[in-house]
């Protein structure tokens, strides 16, 4: 039976799914992690950690459009989240939009205290 049909990805409490999503991410099963984390992020949109891990899972599983969408949503709510800014820049680069990525990468570097010499 397909895992989506038996409800595996939606099974358990939010905390249990968060832990399972982290385990799949750590095992480099990024697409599976994303399937789990999307429910966690949807139930707790005010929590940064699940949303950021979801964006990373999308990025690593080459779901770049979804990663971009999630990262933009994160930055709308948390505009000073430097790691999300860096990830958005890297995502845009992978999508062939280097010019659009540059300001995000520069801002992420400045927020992290990395200034050009």
């Amino acid at each position: 039976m397909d895992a989506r049909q038996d409800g595996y990805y939606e099974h358990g409490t939010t905390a249990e799914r968060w832990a399972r999503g982290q385990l799949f991410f750590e095992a480099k099963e990024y697409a599976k992690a994303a399937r789990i984390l999307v429910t966690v992020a949807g139930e707790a949109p005010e929590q940064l950690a699940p949303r950021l891990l979801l964006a990373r899972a999308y990025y690593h599983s080459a779901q770049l459009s979804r990663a971009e969408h999630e990262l933009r949503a994160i930055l709308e709510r948390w505009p000073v989240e430097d790691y999300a800014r860096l990830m958005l820049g890297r995502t845009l680069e992978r999508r062939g939009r280097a010019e659009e990525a540059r300001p995000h990468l520069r801002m992420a570097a400045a927020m992290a205290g990395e200034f050009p010499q």
Side-chain angles (χ1 to χ4, degrees), residues 47-57 70-71 74 81 83-84 87:
Q47 296 294 317
L48 174 61
R51 295 186 73 181
L52 197 52
L53 192 59
L54 173 60
R56 291 176 63 202
E70 190 62 33
L71 290 162
I74 289 168
E81 177 53 49
Y83 189 70
M87 286 288 302

Side-chain angles (χ1 to χ4, degrees), residues 4 8-11 13-14 17-22 24-25 29-58 61 63 66-67 69-70:
R4 286 178 284 182
Y8 176 76
Y9 297 113
E10 294 84 21
H11 179 73
T13 66
T14 304
R17 282 181 280 117
W18 167 238
R20 193 165 52 250
Q22 290 176 302
F24 275 106
F25 187 89
E29 294 282 346
Y30 301 118
K32 290 178 183 175
R35 286 186 202 138
I36 295 166
L37 293 167
V38 72
T39 66
V40 176
E43 290 175 17
E46 72 286 351
Q47 296 294 317
L48 174 61
R51 295 186 73 181
L52 197 52
L53 192 59
L54 173 60
R56 291 176 63 202
Y58 283 149
S61 62
Q63 298 180 63
R66 289 179 175 167
H69 180 267
E70 190 62 33

Side-chain angles (χ1 to χ4, degrees), residues 59 64 68 71-72 85-104:
Y59 178 85
L64 301 178
E68 179 183 352
L71 290 162
R72 288 188 186 280
R85 184 79 54 191
L86 173 66
M87 286 288 302
L88 178 57
R90 296 286 181 236
T91 299
L92 293 169
E93 282 181 331
R94 277 184 74 186
R95 296 192 77 190
R97 294 159 51 195
E99 196 66 33
E100 192 179 341
R102 261 188 224 106
H104 295 287

